[in-house]
Each structure stands twice: as structure tokens, then as C-alpha cells.
Amino acid sequence: MVETFHEHDVTVGDGTLAVPGTLTLPDGAGPWPGVVLLSGGGPFDRDETSGPNKPFKDIAWGLARRGVAVLRFDKVTFAHPQNPVATMTEEYVPHAVAAVTLLQDQPGVDPARVFVLGHSMGGKVAPRVAAAEPSVAGLVIMAGDTQPMQHAAIRVIGHLASLDPSPAAQAAVEQITRQAAVVDGPGLTPETPAEDLPFGLPASYWLDLRAYDPVAEASALDVPMLILQGGRDYQMTIADDLAGWEAGLGHRANVTIRVYEAADHLFFAGDGPSTPADYLKAQHVDPAVISDVADWLITR
């Protein structure tokens, strides 16, 4: 284990959609394994900032202290909000591939041992990144969703409505149910108006998602994977999402699946049902989770 690390800013990608990022490198000569972090759905910064919390900063610093080089970067939707992306693939894959290449080129990093760690939607898309960049050494998937996003949206918004019943909450459930039906229906085309679809995302985004099966994509990869799930996570759940990874990959010797019963979606440890208010309390990613990820990366 190393006790110290250093950081410096980098640029990921080229041209007008390049984004800023941070390299966190262990002190010493290496060679170190490396990992690129991919945050969840939405315009997240490089720390995946949620209220007062910075889970990706926790992970980067924790892994670097254990001898893992880490690259995290602002999502294109955060750095360039005026340039909306058309698909999940466009939102993630080009910058993720560029980040892998950049990390492989760093002095002290073993280019044959650069991994991708994705959280939430970043976990969902991680197999597509590895398919696009065959040099990726393996995947860490944290709370990655396998249920179609439009179905998960109905479940999550329904759960939130049950916590705070009101006419507005019920209206939100009814709206998302109507919009999800459009995504599922045969009439979805590139011309379908975004206002008829969940979260105002364009039809191109939903068509891309509808054609993507993360478990099937992962099953086609011959790389080791570590799949982590929080027992208290109401956004991505054991029953609705982890079950998909288990069914498709649980039989493989190079796939490790772990459940942290006390963890919520951000892998904060706690008690009782998880709620959105939990994310507004200053917390840190469970050190046991970071330690397990570090051990797995270092021993590949």
C-alpha cells in the first residue's frame, strides 16, 4: 500500500467537445494498474458530485492510496451543456475510450492493466466501452442497471411517490408511465417529440437504449468483471438489476459479484430504507467497498 499520491489536471478527448479531467497517481515508480471512472446518468462532474458528497473523489483518492492510478473526468453533458448528445453511446463511449488511451500512456501505469469502473448508467455502458476498446483489461460495475431505463423510471418515481403521496407525485407517476409506453411501443421513431418521452431525452437516445442489452454485451467480452450492488439501493435494485448480471454472468469464473447490504446507490453505508434526502447529508463511500475494488484491481 502507498500512503501518498499526487494529482494533476488533464484534457480528455479532442476538439470542441474535449472535457477536463483529473489524474490521481500513486507516488513512486509503479508500474500501477489504472482505472477510468464513468459516472451515472445526467450531467455529472468528474467527482460525481451529489449534494455535499463527491463519491468519485472518494474512490479516486482511496484507490490511489492503495496503488491504483485513476482518471476521472467531467461528462460531456456537464462540460458542454449547450451541445446535447443524441445517444447514450455518444454521451459516454468516445470520451471513455480517449480516457483509457490517455491513462495507458502515463509513466508508471501498466498499459496492459487499465480497467473501466462505471457507476449506475456508467456501469450499464461499461461493456460497450470495452467492446469499443479491446485493450480494456476488465470492468468494475457498481450499481449498473440491466432493467430497461423507462421501466426503472416508473418503479423509482412510484417509490418516491409512495414516500410522499400527493397529487403532484401521482401526476408524475402517470406521466412517466405514459412516456415509457411510447418508448416501448412500435411507433417510436427518430421524429417522436422529446416532450413525449421520459426526461425530455430525444427519441434517438431511447432508440439506442432500446437496442442495447448490457448483459449480452458483457457476456460477449472475455475480460474479468467485478459487479457490486448495494442492498439499500432503490434506484438499481438486487431484484430488478443485479438479477440480470447474475443470470447472464454469474456462472463465469472470471466474474465476481458482491452485495453490500448496508449500502445505498452511492455506496454510502446506512440503516433503514434509503431516500433521496440521504444524498444531501455529507458522507463518504464505504471504505470496505473501496478496499475490495482496490484488492480486485491489484490482483488482476
Side-chain angles (χ1 to χ4, degrees):
M1 180 187 293
V2 297
E3 292 300 331
T4 57
F5 59 89
H6 57 282
E7 293 189 305
H8 65 267
D9 290 339
V10 294
T11 299
V12 177
D14 299 309
T16 59
L17 293 183
V19 300
T22 299
L23 268 169
T24 309
L25 301 171
D27 288 344
W32 314 110
V35 64
V36 169
L37 306 188
L38 303 180
S39 58
F44 279 108
D45 66 9
R46 72 197 73 182
D47 294 330
E48 205 180 42
T49 300
S50 300
N53 302 297
K54 297 182 179 295
F56 269 15
K57 185 176 182 179
D58 291 345
I59 291 172
W61 286 19
L63 293 180
R65 288 190 176 104
R66 294 289 302 272
V68 178
V70 184
L71 175 54
R72 65 196 196 275
F73 55 92
D74 294 348
K75 283 184 68 177
V76 67
T77 46
F78 178 86
H80 303 285
Q82 73 280 8
N83 289 292
V85 296
T87 66
M88 179 187 70
T89 301
E90 183 181 314
E91 183 179 10
Y92 282 93
V93 175
H95 290 91
V97 170
V100 168
T101 301
L102 192 158
L103 189 53
Q104 288 172 330
D105 288 342
Q106 298 305 305
V109 174
D110 183 347
R113 297 170 67 208
V114 171
F115 299 79
V116 169
L117 181 156
H119 174 243
S120 196
M121 181 176 275
K124 184 189 194 83
V125 78
R128 181 165 278 182
V129 173
E133 180 44 71
S135 67
V136 169
L139 301 177
V140 180
I141 297 172
M142 300 180 67
D145 47 318
T146 62
Q147 185 180 40
M149 192 165 81
Q150 69 272 21
H151 300 169
I154 296 172
R155 172 175 53 78
V156 171
I157 292 174
H159 170 71
L160 298 179
S162 72
L163 298 177
D164 184 20
S166 68
Q170 183 56 40
V173 173
E174 293 170 358
Q175 179 185 48
I176 198 69
T177 302
R178 288 194 304 271
Q179 293 170 331
V182 177
V183 174
D184 286 329
L188 180 66
T189 72
E191 289 72 40
T192 301
E195 55 265 29
D196 293 344
L197 299 167
F199 312 123
L201 293 170
S204 56
Y205 202 97
W206 292 103
L207 288 165
D208 181 49
L209 273 178
R210 207 168 67 169
Y212 177 58
D213 181 342
V215 177
E217 191 85 44
S219 297
L221 300 170
D222 186 22
V223 297
M225 301 179 206
L226 175 63
I227 300 173
L228 309 180
Q229 173 68 43
R232 297 171 57 245
D233 189 345
Y234 69 84
Q235 293 176 251
M236 313 307 171
T237 70
I238 292 173
D240 297 295
D241 297 289
L242 185 65
W245 299 116
E246 289 176 327
L249 300 169
H251 64 284
R252 284 178 39 171
N254 65 346
V255 174
T256 301
I257 298 175
R258 292 181 180 160
V259 175
Y260 299 85
E261 293 294 347
D264 64 12
H265 187 60
L266 296 179
F267 289 85
F268 300 154
D271 299 308
S274 174
T275 71
D278 293 339
Y279 305 154
L280 301 179
K281 299 182 293 187
Q283 302 182 72
H284 292 284
V285 173
D286 185 347
V289 174
I290 296 174
S291 179
D292 286 347
V293 172
D295 288 344
W296 188 86
L297 292 170
I298 290 167
T299 55
R300 293 309 103 187

